[in-house]
Amino acid sequence: MKKTKSPYPDWVIKHRKPGTEVRLMRGKFYIYEVSSVYDKEKKRARKITGKYLGKITEEEGFVASNFVKVPKSLPLINENKITTREYGMGAFLEHYCSDIIDILKIHFPEQWEWLVACLYGRLVHSSPIKNIGYYFKRSYLRESINITLNPKNVSQLLRDVGKNRTPLQNYMKSFLGSSVALIDATSIVSYSKNLERNHVSKTKNGTYEPLFNLLYFYQPGTFTPAYYRLFDGNIKDIKMIQMAVEESGYKDALVIADKGFCSDENLEILDHSNLKFITPLKRNSTFIKKELISDLPKGEQMFLFAGRIIYYTSYGCPDPKVKKKSSKKSERPLRRIHIFVDEEAMIKEKKDFVHRMNKHPQTYTKEKFQEKLNEFGTFVAITNLEEDAEVIYQYYKSRIGIEVLFDGVKNILGNDSTYMQNNDALEGWMFINHLTLQIHHKIYQLLTTYNMISKTSVRDFIEYLSDIRIVKVNNKWIMETMPKDQQNLLSKLNLSIT
């Protein structure tokens, strides 16, 4: 955003520190403490003026008030004026996450400071609502974001943000991009009796629990979380996808589903909605030409994926809505079946079955081994994408990345959802967690770029940077000596936060 030029001279501005305000009265410049609180009625910040600190003159600079001057008789270091704060992660947010913060300022001009403070508490400390203000007070981030946080105004913020989804939508649309978006959904169990979204439904573990649903859009390749939508626990995946795509205005979405999603009804709805999809077929599907599988490893159609040889074949799938004798062509995208055989996976599954035969001969028999010969190492998918087999395979394998990321989603988002008192508060809480997830993934991408993700996790990064501290001694901030481990980490990642 374009900054407004200050009406005060430069020699005045250089003495105005965070948390202070300059006032011009009768031709002289005075400086006061100032802070902000969240006004639940106005739904924005309200300024509170504190004590008078002193005046500023061109000749003498800042001249402290007689009421706040430090007597010369005090020792050089006053132990009562030593304050230690977390510096590393706060600095990382300000220096390397400005793209996210700048967009927040556009869509939440009156609330962005509270949102950043809340995401800091969630990201660094996985903090519940009641402790967010406590952790913010202990961060150097407070020097540049001068607000007052407590459980009451955080709860009010959540309700205010959650009441109006339009700014949330506009913020998230900034990250959708123009490439294909991947879609996946999960459910989050919550025993809150006040959430209208909660409905007793079947979980993926087969149990029945009170839950609500969460659908996410991701960017392919990076799996960057771009867009989310909450749904009641009794709404089916396919209905969620339709509503979310319509709301986002995103037309080029690719649904990568699991086997449980594949049904004639779901595929019909996807086709009717002009949505692209890839979904695996169950191994007993009548669409699979099993006679083709045994000869695949002998053929010439192959490609490499992650250093492994993948054999494949593809063929058109009959459209059940078009009668065989009819010459009328279907207006929907042509569906195709792709059969893949992973040679390494095939050998591994065979070995595993033989080991089981030795341990459990009554269950794992030679006859069953022969029956499953054409299943070992196979993966069969149905799709309406007009891409070659290798691209289809790469897209589907990207689902593994989404599933890994969803584990992180549940760890980050699930905390405190039980205590939400209404749908508005839940929506606001989920948006803060969405921001947290975006920063979390930014760190993941950074570690991946420098080939460090196998040795350093996102949580490792956060804890290492959180140990970088700054100390205030007699009103002057001084960086603590940085531990060697932190120095090495920042050097390897080419980061500078001081």
Side-chain angles (χ1 to χ4, degrees):
M1 295 180 66
K2 189 176 180 181
K3 293 184 178 179
T4 305
K5 188 175 180 181
S6 173
Y8 302 126
D10 291 340
W11 56 268
V12 172
I13 294 302
K14 71 179 182 179
H15 292 288
R16 190 187 71 80
K17 297 181 179 180
T20 65
E21 177 187 51
V22 175
R23 292 186 181 182
L24 176 61
M25 293 182 286
R26 297 184 297 277
K28 295 182 179 180
F29 296 96
Y30 300 92
I31 191 163
Y32 291 80
E33 282 186 349
V34 68
S35 62
S36 298
V37 295
Y38 189 76
D39 192 317
K40 67 178 182 180
E41 295 180 359
K42 297 181 179 180
K43 299 182 181 179
R44 60 180 176 83
R46 177 166 56 84
K47 184 177 71 175
I48 295 179
T49 301
K51 63 183 179 182
Y52 167 64
L53 299 176
K55 64 181 179 179
I56 302 174
T57 68
E58 189 170 8
E59 296 79 15
E60 299 180 80
F62 174 68
V63 180
S65 164
N66 291 330
F67 297 104
V68 295
K69 282 183 178 179
V70 178
K72 293 181 179 180
S73 58
L74 286 179
L76 182 61
I77 297 179
N78 182 358
E79 292 183 358
N80 294 323
K81 290 196 172 184
I82 297 179
T83 302
T84 302
R85 290 190 186 171
E86 186 282 323
Y87 177 83
M89 277 307 301
F92 177 79
L93 283 176
E94 291 189 307
H95 295 173
Y96 293 96
C97 303
S98 58
D99 55 335
I100 290 174
I101 295 175
D102 287 346
I103 296 175
L104 271 181
K105 290 179 181 179
I106 294 172
H107 299 293
F108 299 90
E110 304 294 341
Q111 298 161 320
W112 71 269
E113 292 171 303
W114 277 270
L115 293 172
V116 171
C118 288
L119 84 84
Y120 168 84
R122 296 294 290 142
L123 177 70
V124 180
H125 302 285
S126 300
S127 174
I129 294 170
K130 65 178 183 178
N131 294 335
I132 284 178
Y134 168 75
Y135 288 120
F136 179 64
K137 288 178 182 178
R138 297 175 60 190
S139 169
Y140 186 71
L141 194 64
R142 186 184 175 194
E143 293 298 302
S144 56
I145 301 180
N146 187 39
I147 61 174
T148 301
L149 274 180
N150 56 53
K152 186 176 180 179
N153 60 30
V154 171
S155 297
Q156 185 62 51
L157 171 73
L158 299 181
R159 291 192 291 273
D160 291 342
V161 170
K163 282 178 183 177
N164 184 4
R165 187 165 165 82
T166 300
L168 275 67
Q169 290 175 252
N170 293 334
Y171 169 86
M172 291 187 289
K173 285 179 181 179
S174 303
F175 295 90
L176 278 179
S178 57
S179 59
V180 174
L182 311 178
I183 300 177
D184 204 358
T186 190
S187 56
I188 296 179
V189 175
S190 172
Y191 289 94
S192 173
K193 296 180 180 179
N194 299 313
L195 282 181
E196 296 174 8
R197 289 205 182 279
N198 269 3
H199 291 271
V200 175
S201 299
K202 190 176 182 179
T203 68
K204 291 186 177 181
N205 294 328
T207 60
Y208 285 87
E209 308 280 356
L211 53 84
F212 59 89
N213 290 318
L214 172 66
L215 184 142
Y216 249 102
F217 284 27
Y218 298 89
Q219 294 295 346
T222 64
F223 312 117
T224 301
Y227 202 91
Y228 79 89
R229 182 74 156 80
L230 293 174
F231 292 92
D232 292 355
N234 58 350
I235 297 180
K236 293 182 178 180
D237 285 358
I238 189 65
K239 296 295 183 183
M240 292 192 290
I241 291 170
Q242 284 181 298
M243 294 171 65
V245 170
E246 183 177 351
E247 178 192 74
S248 68
Y250 200 72
K251 302 299 182 185
D252 199 13
L254 171 60
V255 180
I256 301 180
D258 56 23
K259 289 181 181 179
F261 181 85
C262 188
S263 69
D264 290 340
E265 180 186 3
N266 285 347
L267 298 185
E268 285 295 324
I269 294 174
L270 289 173
D271 273 337
H272 183 73
S273 303
N274 295 318
L275 289 172
K276 302 294 189 297
F277 65 84
I278 302 173
T279 181
L281 289 173
K282 295 179 180 179
R283 286 182 169 177
N284 61 355
S285 171
T286 57
F287 288 139
I288 301 176
K289 297 180 180 181
K290 295 184 179 181
E291 67 274 11
L292 299 176
I293 298 176
S294 59
D295 290 331
L296 278 185
K298 303 174 186 177
E300 297 181 356
Q301 294 192 105
M302 69 185 80
F303 57 84
L304 286 175
F305 180 83
R308 301 156 74 112
I309 299 176
I310 310 297
Y311 299 96
Y312 70 91
T313 188
S314 307
Y315 52 89
C317 176
D319 191 331
K321 290 296 181 180
V322 180
K323 295 182 179 179
K324 291 183 179 180
K325 295 183 180 180
S326 173
S327 60
K328 183 180 178 180
K329 294 183 178 180
S330 172
E331 297 180 356
R332 300 176 306 176
L334 177 66
R335 297 179 188 173
R336 289 189 65 77
I337 305 292
H338 296 274
I339 302 177
F340 303 96
V341 175
D342 182 334
E343 191 171 51
E344 287 188 32
M346 177 178 63
I347 295 172
K348 184 178 179 181
E349 288 178 24
K350 285 182 179 179
K351 286 181 178 180
D352 180 67
F353 196 96
V354 172
H355 283 305
R356 292 172 186 267
M357 286 171 60
N358 293 331
K359 291 184 178 181
H360 309 283
Q362 293 180 344
T363 305
Y364 295 87
T365 64
K366 291 182 179 180
E367 290 75 19
K368 288 187 177 179
F369 181 84
Q370 292 299 320
E371 290 175 7
K372 294 178 68 67
L373 267 179
N374 283 347
E375 295 182 4
F376 293 125
T378 62
F379 162 65
V380 185
I382 182 171
T383 180
N384 59 1
L385 271 181
E386 297 180 1
E387 301 283 358
D388 61 36
E390 184 174 359
V391 174
I392 298 299
Y393 191 82
Q394 290 172 343
Y395 271 138
Y396 189 80
K397 285 300 180 180
S398 70
R399 180 181 171 83
I400 297 173
I402 293 177
E403 289 174 345
V404 171
L405 192 61
F406 249 22
D407 289 339
V409 169
K410 288 194 173 183
N411 291 335
I412 291 174
L413 304 190
N415 191 15
D416 248 23
S417 62
T418 303
Y419 305 104
M420 295 297 107
Q421 296 302 305
N422 56 53
N423 284 353
D424 292 337
L426 176 64
E427 185 74 68
W429 185 239
M430 285 299 173
F431 182 64
I432 287 172
N433 288 316
H434 174 72
L435 300 175
T436 304
L437 192 62
Q438 285 187 300
I439 305 296
H440 186 277
H441 196 70
K442 184 182 282 283
I443 297 170
Y444 176 84
Q445 287 182 292
L446 177 65
L447 294 170
T448 302
T449 299
Y450 286 90
N451 298 316
M452 292 181 62
I453 194 63
S454 61
K455 296 181 179 179
T456 306
S457 68
V458 175
R459 177 45 55 184
D460 291 337
F461 176 94
I462 293 171
E463 290 182 358
Y464 270 50
L465 262 67
S466 297
D467 280 341
I468 300 174
R469 302 187 176 280
I470 194 168
V471 182
K472 188 175 187 180
V473 181
N474 286 350
N475 296 320
K476 183 178 181 181
W477 289 104
I478 303 171
M479 286 292 298
E480 280 189 351
T481 302
M482 195 182 302
K484 188 175 181 180
D485 288 342
Q486 277 78 347
Q487 292 180 29
N488 291 338
L489 178 64
L490 293 176
S491 176
K492 290 176 181 178
L493 295 172
N494 196 28
L495 295 179
S496 176
I497 61 171
T498 57

